[in-house]
Amino acid sequence: MASDEGDDPYLWLEDLDGDDAARWVRERNAETVAALTGDETFTGLRSEIRQVFDSDERIPYPGWCGDGFYYGFWQDAAHPRGVWRRTTPDQYRRPEPEWDVLLDVDELAAREGENWVWSEVHRLRPGHQRVLISLSRGGADAVVVREFDLHRRAFVADGFEVPEAKSSVCWIDADHIYVATDFGPGSLTTSGHPRIVKRWRRGTTLSEAEVVYEGQAEDTEVSARHDPTPGFRRDFVLRGLDFYRSENYLLTSAGELVRIPVPEDADWNVHREWLVIRLRSPWTVDGVTHPAGALLATRFDAFLAGAREMTVLFRPDARTALSYHSWTRNHLILATIVDVRSRLEVLTPGDTGWQRAPLAGVPEHAHSFVLDTDPDHGDDFLLVSEGFLQPRTLRLGQVRGPVETLKREPAFFDADGLAVRQFFATSADGTRVPYFVVGDPDATAGPALLVGYGGFEISQTPHYSGTIGRAWLARGGTYAVANIRGGGEYGPAWHRAALRENRPRAYEDFAAVAVDLVTRGITTPGQLGIMGGSNGGLLTGVMLTRYPELFGAVVSHVPLLDMRRYHRLLAGASWMAEYGDPDRETDWTYLREYSPYHNVRDGRPYPPLLLATSTRDDRVHPGHARKMAARLREHGYDVSYYENVEGGHGAATNNEQRAFFWALTLEFLWRRLTGPAHPAVPRQQSSADAGQPAPVEGRA
C-alpha cells in the first residue's frame, strides 16, 4: 500500500470543486441515494425524523444578553435557515411566547442571493444595542462578520464588516473591536487560522487597524478579548501554541504585554477579582504539587504580582472528573461527572474561604448541565436536565433562591419497556471502560448501534435523542454509547492515555465494548453496527480495517481517514498535538499502523461501510472520505458514499437536510444489520399528541 502522498493515486479527489472530483461525487451520490431512498420505508423514516426536528414542542433554548431579554435561534419547516429572535422572561414562561424576530436568515439569503447559514453572535457590553453577527456560506467554519443594530433590526451601514475567513472578533467598546482574520498573504497559521490580531477603530478600513499581536506560522491561532466588567476592565491576548498549549497575556492600557504565568496546557478564566485555573498536567506551586484535573482559585492581581496562594476547588479521584465550571455574579457552579453521571455544586467565596453546597433544583436521575448564566447582573442560571429516555426539562434557578420549571419537551418516542443500563468492559490492558446500553433489557440478541468518540478530552454523556428513539429504538434496536479513553470522562489522564502514540488504546477500548455487548447476549457481531463522526469517524474507520470481524456495518461521518496528509488539509495542522506529526518519522511510524486509508487490504472481512461528508466542510477535508471510498471500491468492498453539497462539519444546514442525512444513515445500518427484511418505522405519537404530560424516566 501507499506509504506517502507521492504514491497516492487518489490525490485528485482532494480537489474540492474540480470537474473530475465533482463528477465522481455525483456518481457515488446517485448510487447511494438510489440504493437506500427509493421505497416507502425510507420516506416514512425521513418523515418521522423531520417531525422531531421541526416540532414546535421542542424547547426554544434561550440565552441572556444582559439587557433583560431572552435570545434564541430557531429553525423549523417555515424557517429552514432560521430566525434570530428575542422575548421577555414573562412571555417565555407562556406556552406560546410572542417572539420579536430580529433577523430572518431565510429572508436575508433570498434578498442577497447568498446561501447564508447562521453561525454566532457577539454582543457589545454594556449597552447591548449593537452585535456582531457571523454568517457562513453553506455552513462552513469560515464566516462573514457584520455589525447589526438591535434597535433598528438592521445591519449597520458602513459598520464593522469582516470578509469571509476563519475569524475571531470581540467588542472593546462601541467604536473599537479586536479582530483576528485573514489579512492577506502570510497572515494565517499553517492550520488556516489567524496569526495576527488587530484593534480596529470605527470609521477606518480594516487594513488601517492597529496590530496588537503577531504569532508564528506554526502556532494554531491568536486572538484577543476584552472584559468590560465595571471595576475589572481588562484586555487579554492568547497565542495558541498547539491544540492544548497557549501563552496568555494581560494587555495593559500602555500596550504592554504581561505574561500570565499559568501552565501552558492549563485552561483558565478571570471573573472579577478571581483567577480560576484548570490543570491538564501536575503543577507544583510553592512546594505543593496539584494533580492534573484539579481546579484552583487565586486572586488575579495578587497572582500577577507574584503571590501563589492557591485554593483547591476540585481535586479528581479515580471515578470523578471535572466537566466544566460557570460563574454567576457571586458564585461558581462546578460540574463534575462520577462514572459519567453528572453532579452540580455551588462554590461561594467569602471571608473564611470558599463554601460548598449542592446546586438546588437538580433532579437526581438525570444528566443536568448549566445552559447559561448572567454573571454581569445576578446569580440566575438556566439548567437543562435529560436522559437517554428522559426528554429535556429547562429550569430557571437562582443560587440560594427559588428554582422553577420553564419548559418541558414532550416524549418523541415510546419508551415503555425500555431501560438504561451501564456496564463496564475490560480493555486489552485491563482498564475498565464504561458504556451505556439503551433498549429492551429482556430482548434476545438483535440489531445494536454502538457509538463513540474517544478524543480531545470530550466526554460522551447521556442525552435524549428523538431521532435515535424514533428511527432505531422504536424498530427494536439497541443503542449503546462507549466512554472510551481519549475522552474526558475521567479527566486529563483518561484523555492522555490515548494521546498520540497511545491512540490505539481508544480503539482497544471500543473493541472491548463491542465484545462485551456480544458476550452479554445483547447483540451478535453480524448485528452490531457502529457510527462516529469527525474523530469518531476516524475511530470507526480504524474499527473497519483493524477489527472487521466484530461488526456487521460501519458508518463514518465527516471522518479523518488519511493520517499521512491530515495535517496538510484545512485545519488538520492544529490537531498534531492530539495525533502527532506525520512528517516526523517517529510519529508516522505509529500513525501508519492505524491510518485507515493506508491499511486497506485485499481479502479482509470488511463489513459494509457508509461514508458521509460535506463539500463545504472546511474543518475535516471531504477528501478523507472520498479517497477512502475510492480505495475500498478499488478492492471490491461494499462501500456507500454520500456527500452533501453544503452543511460544513455538521454535514447539514437545515432540518430537511438533517432528516435526510440521518434517515440515510439509520436506514443503511438497519438494512445491513437485519438482512433483506426491513420493517417500516412505526408511526410515533408524542405525549403531546396524546394529550398526556411527558413522562420523566429515571435511568436504570
Side-chain angles (χ1 to χ4, degrees):
M1 301 307 301
S3 61
D4 59 49
E5 58 202 78
D7 299 327
D8 187 347
Y10 298 114
L11 276 177
W12 57 277
L13 286 171
E14 293 180 6
D15 185 358
L16 278 180
D17 301 311
D19 291 342
D20 291 341
R23 185 182 308 109
W24 183 93
V25 168
R26 288 195 299 271
E27 291 172 353
R28 302 292 80 74
N29 280 357
E31 293 168 353
T32 299
V33 169
L36 293 174
T37 70
D39 60 16
E40 294 181 0
T41 301
F42 178 84
T43 302
L45 183 67
R46 180 176 58 184
S47 176
E48 289 291 330
I49 296 173
R50 180 72 185 270
Q51 289 172 24
V52 174
F53 287 140
D54 282 342
S55 172
D56 290 336
E57 298 173 293
R58 290 172 295 146
I59 295 175
Y61 292 107
W64 279 296
C65 178
D67 58 356
F69 290 96
Y70 282 160
Y71 288 76
F73 184 72
W74 180 260
Q75 290 177 289
D76 57 24
H79 308 93
R81 297 183 187 275
V83 291
W84 186 48
R85 59 190 190 174
R86 71 181 180 185
T87 191
T88 65
D90 286 342
Q91 277 288 332
Y92 187 83
R93 288 181 171 89
R94 298 183 179 184
E96 296 183 3
E98 293 182 5
W99 289 94
D100 178 12
V101 174
L102 302 170
L103 180 65
D104 185 325
V105 182
D106 293 272
E107 187 276 331
L108 177 70
R111 184 174 75 245
E112 298 187 348
E114 290 281 5
N115 184 18
W116 290 129
V117 175
W118 177 265
S119 180
E120 61 181 341
V121 60
H122 300 268
R123 301 169 178 87
L124 173 64
R125 300 162 43 212
H128 309 287
Q129 284 304 307
R130 295 289 177 91
V131 297
L132 296 170
I133 291 177
S134 297
L135 301 165
S136 80
R137 292 182 173 90
D141 285 352
V143 295
V144 171
V145 182
R146 299 164 67 176
E147 186 178 0
F148 188 85
D149 188 307
L150 292 177
H151 179 72
R152 295 177 52 248
R153 291 160 179 74
F155 289 106
V156 178
D158 299 321
F160 291 114
E161 184 167 345
V162 184
E164 186 176 34
K166 293 183 179 181
S167 305
S168 69
V169 293
C170 179
W171 287 101
I172 302 172
D173 56 37
D175 293 318
H176 298 84
I177 67 171
Y178 288 124
V179 55
T181 189
D182 185 350
F183 294 108
S187 67
L188 299 179
T189 66
T190 54
S191 57
H193 295 284
R195 185 182 64 80
I196 301 169
V197 60
K198 297 184 179 184
R199 182 187 294 106
W200 188 9
R201 179 169 56 87
R202 184 179 299 280
T204 64
T205 64
L206 182 58
S207 61
E208 296 176 283
E210 172 192 1
V211 174
V212 171
Y213 186 80
E214 290 194 38
Q216 303 299 315
E218 295 75 23
D219 296 341
T220 53
E221 62 181 322
V222 301
S223 61
R225 65 181 179 89
H226 174 71
D227 181 352
T229 304
F232 301 94
R233 290 184 175 88
R234 304 182 181 104
D235 295 84
F236 301 98
V237 170
L238 180 145
R239 175 194 177 195
L241 302 174
D242 60 32
F243 201 85
Y244 301 107
R245 298 184 307 117
S246 63
E247 290 179 356
N248 307 281
Y249 300 92
L250 175 71
L251 178 64
T252 69
S253 57
E256 178 186 5
L257 290 172
V258 179
R259 180 77 178 269
I260 302 172
V262 298
E264 288 182 347
D265 64 347
D267 289 329
W268 62 277
N269 78 291
V270 175
H271 174 70
R272 304 182 70 82
E273 70 267 38
W274 295 104
L275 168 66
V276 175
I277 307 165
R278 180 182 180 181
L279 300 180
R280 277 201 179 94
S281 58
W283 187 31
T284 301
V285 183
D286 282 351
V288 178
T289 299
H290 303 284
L295 186 70
L296 311 175
T298 188
R299 294 183 184 273
F300 179 75
D301 290 341
F303 182 76
L304 277 194
R308 291 297 180 267
E309 182 179 346
M310 298 284 170
T311 299
V312 178
L313 302 182
F314 172 80
R315 183 184 298 274
D317 59 35
R319 298 177 54 216
T320 309
L322 176 64
S323 185
Y324 60 90
H325 60 272
S326 298
W327 281 102
T328 68
R329 173 65 171 77
N330 300 294
H331 307 273
L332 183 71
I333 300 175
L334 200 65
T336 59
I337 47 178
V338 184
D339 285 334
V340 207
R341 298 173 186 270
S342 64
R343 178 183 296 167
L344 292 167
E345 296 178 287
V346 175
L347 280 66
T348 305
D351 294 338
T352 59
W354 291 72
Q355 305 301 312
R356 185 181 305 261
L359 182 66
V362 179
E364 181 180 358
H365 297 294
H367 175 76
S368 298
F369 62 91
V370 175
L371 177 70
D372 201 6
T373 61
D374 191 9
D376 285 347
H377 298 94
D379 295 318
D380 289 354
F381 61 89
L382 290 166
L383 181 75
V384 177
S385 301
E386 63 179 330
F388 287 114
L389 302 177
Q390 178 180 341
R392 298 179 183 94
T393 298
L394 175 66
R395 294 176 173 88
L396 170 64
Q398 186 178 74
V399 176
R400 295 181 176 174
V403 178
E404 64 173 303
T405 297
L406 292 178
K407 303 286 182 183
R408 289 187 186 273
E409 205 162 63
F412 286 112
F413 61 94
D414 183 4
D416 188 37
L418 305 181
V420 178
R421 295 173 287 170
Q422 186 182 42
F423 299 115
F424 289 79
T426 302
S427 194
D429 64 356
T431 299
R432 295 176 74 244
V433 180
Y435 69 97
F436 292 100
V437 175
V438 187
D440 181 352
D442 299 320
T444 57
L449 172 58
L450 173 63
V451 302
Y453 189 77
F456 297 94
E457 207 173 331
I458 295 173
S459 302
Q460 303 298 293
T461 52
H463 61 281
Y464 186 82
S465 171
T467 297
I468 293 296
R470 288 193 168 203
W472 193 260
L473 296 174
R475 296 170 103 173
T478 296
Y479 180 64
V481 178
N483 302 112
I484 62 178
R485 282 174 286 185
E489 286 86 348
Y490 293 104
W494 196 248
H495 170 235
R496 193 164 49 248
L499 200 61
R500 292 173 56 87
E501 67 271 15
N502 295 319
R503 177 65 49 175
R505 303 295 85 74
Y507 309 139
E508 292 167 0
D509 290 357
F510 199 75
V513 172
V515 170
D516 206 59
L517 284 166
V518 173
T519 301
R520 293 180 185 276
I522 294 170
T523 188
T524 65
Q527 295 174 296
L528 178 57
I530 57 174
M531 179 176 68
S534 192
N535 174 75
L538 170 61
L539 165 69
T540 55
V542 173
M543 292 296 111
L544 175 85
T545 55
R546 183 169 280 200
Y547 302 97
E549 67 283 352
L550 298 182
F551 309 107
V554 176
V555 173
S556 288
H557 290 160
V558 291
L560 285 86
L561 295 166
D562 179 356
M563 301 309 289
R564 182 68 181 89
R565 285 181 50 76
Y566 85 89
H567 65 315
R568 299 180 184 275
L569 299 173
L570 300 176
S574 63
W575 309 322
M576 288 194 290
E578 179 80 11
Y579 301 119
D581 181 354
D583 289 338
R584 295 177 56 187
E585 186 58 35
T586 54
D587 290 6
W588 175 237
T589 297
Y590 64 76
L591 287 165
R592 178 173 50 201
E593 291 301 310
Y594 71 78
S595 175
Y597 185 59
H598 297 89
N599 281 279
V600 175
R601 301 287 187 267
D602 282 324
R604 299 282 285 148
Y606 295 154
L609 169 69
L610 171 64
L611 292 159
T613 187
S614 164
T615 309
R616 290 293 293 168
D617 187 349
D618 56 352
R619 192 180 311 175
V620 176
H621 198 292
H624 285 275
R626 293 176 178 182
K627 296 196 302 179
M628 187 69 174
R631 176 153 285 174
L632 288 165
R633 285 171 56 85
E634 169 195 336
H635 289 268
Y637 291 112
D638 182 352
V639 55
S640 302
Y641 184 88
Y642 177 73
E643 181 175 317
N644 190 10
V645 296
E646 59 182 14
H649 196 50
T653 63
N654 57 50
N655 292 344
E656 180 181 8
Q657 292 179 9
R658 292 184 187 100
F660 181 88
F661 186 84
W662 281 106
L664 192 77
T665 294
L666 295 171
E667 180 64 5
F668 167 84
L669 286 164
W670 193 262
R671 290 192 187 190
R672 296 303 193 270
L673 300 178
T674 61
H678 42 283
V681 181
R683 167 74 164 86
Q684 298 292 304
Q685 184 180 53
S686 75
S687 57
D689 293 333
Q692 297 295 325
V696 178
E697 296 288 342
R699 293 183 307 185

